[in-house]
Amino acid sequence: MEQDFKPMDFINGEIMAIDKPLKWTSFDAVKRLRGAIQKRLRIKKFKVGHAGTLDPLATGVLIVCTGRATKRIEDLQSGDKEYIATIELGATTPSFDLETEINAYYPTDHITEELVKETLESFRGDIMQVPPVFSAVKIEGKRAYKFARNGKEIELKAKPIKIKEIELLEFTGKTLKFRVECGKGTYIRALARDIGEKLNSGAHLIELRRTKVGNIKIKDCMKIEEAIDKINNAPLVFQAST
C-alpha cells in the first residue's frame, strides 16, 4: 500500500532528517538523495547540502537541506547535539577511533565505575579541546587529515567547547558507554582520548550514534530507503521544467 506523503517543495526547500548508515560518509547520503531529486525533477544539477558532518563510523541524525533551504544550514548545524558513545579503555589509536589500528596499550585495573563517573563529570561545562589530527580542521589551507594520513606531524590548537550534559550509561571494566549533549565544534573522538588520559590510561571510540541535532531527534529521522521512497512518490508543490 502506498504511503500518503505530504507534498514536497524541493526548489523552495525541504529539510529532511536522515538516519545516516554506518560506513557512509555524510556526502554519500547527500549524493544519494540529490540523485533521486534530480531524477524526480528531471534536472541535471540541484543544490543539496547537509548540516553537521558525521564520520563514516558514526550513525544517526543527519540533516539534509534542499534548494533554498540550504541557506539555513549554518543555523541548523549550530544547534546542540546529543550522542551515545562507546569507548574502549586501555588502548589508543592515531585517529582516536577504529579508522586506524591500535598503537599503544595501557593499564585499566585501577579504573572503577566511581572513578569513571567522577571523570565524566569533570568534563561538564566550558572546556578547551584539541581537535583530532584526523579531522577536517584546516591547516595552511589544507584539511588536517591529509597531513595525518601522509604521516606528517601537525599541532592543532585547543578550541573552546561546551559539554552541557554527560552521563555514564554502562561500564564493563574494559568499555564504557555514555550520553553526551554538547555544543558546536565538539569532537567525540577527542573526548574519548581525553577521558582515557584523565583515567591515567588510554581510550578510543568504538561506536557513536548521534541522537539529536537541535530539536530534531533520532525518532524523527528516516532511513535512506524511506527518504528515497518519499522523494520518488510524494506529490510535488513545484515541478521544474525539463
Side-chain angles (χ1 to χ4, degrees), residues 136-147 152-156:
V137 174
K138 284 192 173 182
I139 299 290
E140 300 173 3
K142 295 182 179 180
R143 302 294 185 184
Y145 66 79
K146 292 187 177 180
F147 290 103
K152 185 175 181 180
E153 290 189 12
I154 55 174
E155 187 173 338
L156 299 179

Side-chain angles (χ1 to χ4, degrees), residues 74-92:
E74 189 172 344
D75 288 337
L76 290 168
Q77 67 187 13
S78 66
D80 290 339
K81 300 172 181 66
E82 180 187 74
Y83 298 89
I84 303 297
T86 303
I87 66 177
E88 182 176 320
L89 302 172
T92 57

Side-chain angles (χ1 to χ4, degrees), residues 15-19 60-63 209-223 226 230:
I15 296 174
M16 306 176 73
I18 304 298
D19 185 352
V61 181
L62 181 69
I63 301 174
R209 184 158 177 78
R210 187 156 68 190
T211 50
K212 187 170 69 171
V213 175
N215 295 322
I216 298 177
K217 300 179 180 180
I218 192 67
K219 66 180 179 64
D220 305 317
C221 294
M222 297 177 285
K223 301 294 185 183
E226 293 172 334
K230 187 175 182 179

Side-chain angles (χ1 to χ4, degrees), residues 41-217:
L41 298 181
R42 300 177 183 178
I43 54 179
K44 292 185 178 180
K45 290 185 179 181
F46 191 70
K47 196 169 187 179
V48 181
H50 67 273
T53 301
L54 268 182
D55 290 336
L57 295 179
T59 64
V61 181
L62 181 69
I63 301 174
V64 177
C65 303
T66 79
R68 297 187 180 98
T70 54
K71 295 178 180 178
R72 296 184 57 189
I73 285 177
E74 189 172 344
D75 288 337
L76 290 168
Q77 67 187 13
S78 66
D80 290 339
K81 300 172 181 66
E82 180 187 74
Y83 298 89
I84 303 297
T86 303
I87 66 177
E88 182 176 320
L89 302 172
T92 57
T93 71
S95 60
F96 311 148
D97 64 5
L98 295 175
E99 182 183 341
T100 53
E101 298 292 327
I102 291 174
N103 61 354
Y105 291 92
Y106 300 85
T108 59
D109 291 343
H110 64 287
I111 301 175
T112 63
E113 184 169 332
E114 182 180 357
L115 178 60
V116 168
K117 288 180 177 179
E118 291 176 359
T119 299
L120 292 181
E121 186 62 30
S122 71
F123 286 95
R124 187 190 296 268
D126 296 308
I127 62 174
M128 299 296 289
Q129 184 186 76
V130 178
V133 291
F134 283 80
S135 69
V137 174
K138 284 192 173 182
I139 299 290
E140 300 173 3
K142 295 182 179 180
R143 302 294 185 184
Y145 66 79
K146 292 187 177 180
F147 290 103
R149 287 172 182 165
N150 288 327
K152 185 175 181 180
E153 290 189 12
I154 55 174
E155 187 173 338
L156 299 179
K157 295 181 180 179
K159 296 182 178 182
I161 63 166
K162 187 176 186 68
I163 304 294
K164 296 187 68 176
E165 295 182 20
I166 187 166
E167 64 170 329
L168 179 65
L169 299 178
E170 183 180 306
F171 174 62
T172 69
K174 283 293 185 180
T175 65
L176 65 92
K177 178 186 286 189
F178 62 94
R179 182 186 69 86
V180 58
E181 187 173 339
C182 53
K184 182 181 179 182
T186 303
Y187 284 91
I188 307 302
R189 287 181 290 134
L191 185 59
R193 169 203 62 199
D194 296 340
I195 290 171
E197 289 179 355
K198 198 145 193 176
L199 288 169
N200 291 317
S201 184
H204 63 282
L205 188 67
I206 60 173
E207 188 175 337
L208 182 65
R209 184 158 177 78
R210 187 156 68 190
T211 50
K212 187 170 69 171
V213 175
N215 295 322
I216 298 177
K217 300 179 180 180

